[in-house]
Amino acid sequence: MLSEALTLPAQEAAPKAPPSRITRRLILAGATTALVLTPACGAATSGGEEATGPDDPAAQYRAFRDRYILGDGRVVDTGNQGISHSEGQGYAMLFAEAFDDRPTFDRVYQWARRTLRRPDGLHSWRFRPDQRVRVDDPNNATDGDLYIAWALLRAADRWRDAEYRRDGIAIGQAVLSRLVMEVNGRMVLLPAAQGFQHADRVVVNPSYYAFPALFALSRTVPDRAWQRVMGDGVQMLRGMRYGRWGLPADWVEIGRGGSGQARPAAGWPTRFSYDAVRVPLHMAWAGMTDEPAVRAANNFWNDPGFSVRPAWTDLRTGQVAPYSAPSGINAVAEVTTATGWHRGIAKPLPSVARSPDYYSAALAILSRIALRENPRNLMAGGPPPAAPPPRNAVAGGLRRLWNGA
């Protein structure tokens, strides 16, 4: 979601986001008690059956569903005054599809379509239950739209539903027509339809390049623009390396004309933190394990100088957070490290039930699905499975794209 003037602990003061920018407040907490991932990610969960054990990913999904999804399908961001947003709806739809829970998928999607859908096919980013005008900002958030579209396409394949496919295609077409523009000869994915284009620069959020979703849309909504968005996005991310560890920033601005320099965007903390952690996760999910962003994140998260993994680092000063990363970031770090270093999970993954808020719980589920959908031999570059599921073809397809095939 368009997020990101973070509310920090009392000892810190966050810079105020520019007017009309979209913000997220996250409750910061330390790492929590963890559970071990098992490969039962596709197990059905809609009937209320018993989990096979405390490490069952289906139980982790049910914990998310029961805590954060209301009966009408609204997903509640417990770390941000109980609001809902398109990102949360998209995540919950993806989770419900991954765990074969069609009733929940339908409720979540129908709430999003009924409450957030805009006339142009995109979705307003925020719903505030305590306000008279509950959808008080009609702007969209591109990550939310991408996840909703991707979840619909996956659901169409799983449940053979043509309406899901039509809706996913329509959202994908809206993304192409409203949220993609050329800057300095490269195709750029805007964070939203309004507010991020300026006379001298364009602001982007690197974590909105959800490569598995973009690749799925490129296969279902054929247009060469997708290839340029993905290919140019990879090239830009290779240049967005800042600070001691060479990490991407949460928000980056690209200068128009001249050298087109990309630098951490003015108006936000210059950090690798709650948004940017999704950059290496998306790349690892897509099989892009040799990319600089993945290697840099792994080096940061596993720096032997840390007694605990910090929640963020300032890319200008090198300062790290004086508190540990919450459980969701730890889940991302463990999965990205395992896939990037071609090894098994080094530590148990954190439990969704012990996550401090919605966003941390969502990262924990995303990490489990990302690991599930990247077989170890594919991630390690070995021989592919004899008959891989279609969605696991994303890694090979993306590699061919970067290589110009």
Side-chain angles (χ1 to χ4, degrees):
M1 74 193 181
L2 290 184
S3 18
E4 319 327 278
L6 301 177
T7 293
L8 304 176
Q11 70 268 25
E12 299 183 283
K16 186 177 180 181
S20 80
R21 294 265 173 85
I22 299 171
T23 62
R24 169 166 65 220
R25 185 168 9 184
L26 295 177
I27 296 173
L28 304 175
T32 58
T33 307
L35 298 178
V36 177
L37 178 70
T38 66
C41 187
T45 62
S46 56
E49 67 278 12
E50 293 292 328
T52 58
D55 59 351
D56 181 6
Q60 299 299 306
Y61 163 67
R62 286 197 295 274
F64 181 94
R65 180 189 64 189
D66 296 345
R67 179 172 295 189
Y68 302 109
I69 304 178
L70 301 183
D72 63 356
R74 183 168 79 88
V75 181
V76 179
D77 185 345
T78 59
N80 195 4
Q81 300 179 318
I83 72 168
S84 297
H85 36 71
S86 58
E87 172 210 87
Q89 301 302 125
Y91 282 164
M93 289 167 61
L94 181 75
F95 302 162
E97 183 279 327
F99 292 93
D100 201 15
D101 182 359
R102 186 167 185 174
T104 298
F105 183 96
D106 285 336
R107 287 199 307 275
V108 172
Y109 176 49
Q110 292 306 323
W111 187 92
R113 184 163 68 175
R114 181 174 64 251
T115 309
L116 302 178
R117 181 71 60 83
R118 299 172 7 151
D120 62 3
L122 302 174
H123 296 79
S124 298
W125 81 276
R126 182 178 63 190
F127 173 92
R128 301 173 70 185
D130 59 345
Q131 300 296 310
R132 184 179 63 84
V133 179
R134 294 181 172 182
V135 181
D136 60 342
D137 185 345
N139 208 8
N140 77 299
T142 301
D143 60 341
D145 286 308
L146 286 174
Y147 266 92
I148 290 172
W150 186 29
L152 284 165
L153 297 180
R154 291 168 61 116
D157 289 338
R158 180 184 288 275
W159 296 308
R160 302 293 187 267
D161 191 300
E163 183 178 357
Y164 290 157
R165 187 174 304 280
R166 285 194 298 269
D167 287 359
I169 289 172
I171 297 169
Q173 291 170 334
V175 168
L176 277 181
S177 64
R178 300 276 290 152
L179 302 170
V180 173
M181 67 176 298
E182 186 168 315
V183 180
N184 302 331
R186 286 180 169 172
M187 298 298 281
V188 171
L189 185 67
L190 296 172
Q194 289 91 36
F196 295 87
Q197 301 181 55
H198 306 280
D200 59 340
R201 70 195 187 282
V202 173
V203 176
V204 299
N205 186 312
S207 75
Y208 286 17
Y209 282 81
F211 289 104
L214 291 168
F215 184 75
L217 284 164
S218 75
R219 297 178 64 180
T220 311
V221 188
D223 193 306
R224 290 187 61 84
W226 291 118
Q227 296 182 6
R228 290 193 62 193
V229 168
M230 290 187 288
D232 290 349
V234 169
Q235 294 299 325
M236 287 188 292
L237 283 166
R238 288 173 179 170
M240 294 175 180
R241 304 179 63 194
Y242 310 109
R244 172 182 169 187
W245 288 275
L247 293 161
D250 289 337
W251 291 88
V252 174
E253 60 183 39
I254 303 170
R256 292 182 185 269
S259 63
Q261 181 182 5
R263 59 193 175 195
W268 284 275
T270 57
R271 293 177 180 172
F272 172 82
S273 71
Y274 292 88
D275 270 283
V277 298
R278 297 183 297 181
V279 173
L281 177 64
H282 287 148
M283 287 186 156
W285 195 338
M288 300 157 63
T289 54
D290 294 328
E291 286 299 315
V294 177
R295 295 198 303 268
N298 289 342
N299 290 336
F300 170 67
W301 283 324
N302 297 282
D303 191 309
F306 297 146
S307 57
V308 295
R309 188 173 282 146
W312 48 260
T313 179
D314 188 296
L315 300 173
R316 287 205 173 104
T317 67
Q319 176 190 5
V320 299
Y323 43 87
S324 61
S327 56
I329 290 181
N330 275 305
V332 171
E334 292 302 320
V335 167
T336 303
T337 297
T339 54
W341 290 357
H342 311 313
R343 71 185 194 191
I345 292 290
K347 298 178 181 178
L349 292 181
S351 165
V352 168
R354 297 294 300 273
S355 296
D357 56 28
Y358 142 81
Y359 188 62
S360 193
L363 290 180
I365 297 288
L366 284 171
S367 299
R368 285 168 163 84
I369 298 174
L371 187 63
R372 167 67 176 175
E373 295 184 358
N374 285 280
R376 184 67 59 233
N377 56 358
L378 182 59
M379 298 300 291
R391 63 190 54 170
N392 286 334
V394 63
L398 286 169
R399 290 194 191 102
R400 287 191 296 273
L401 176 64
W402 317 145
N403 293 333

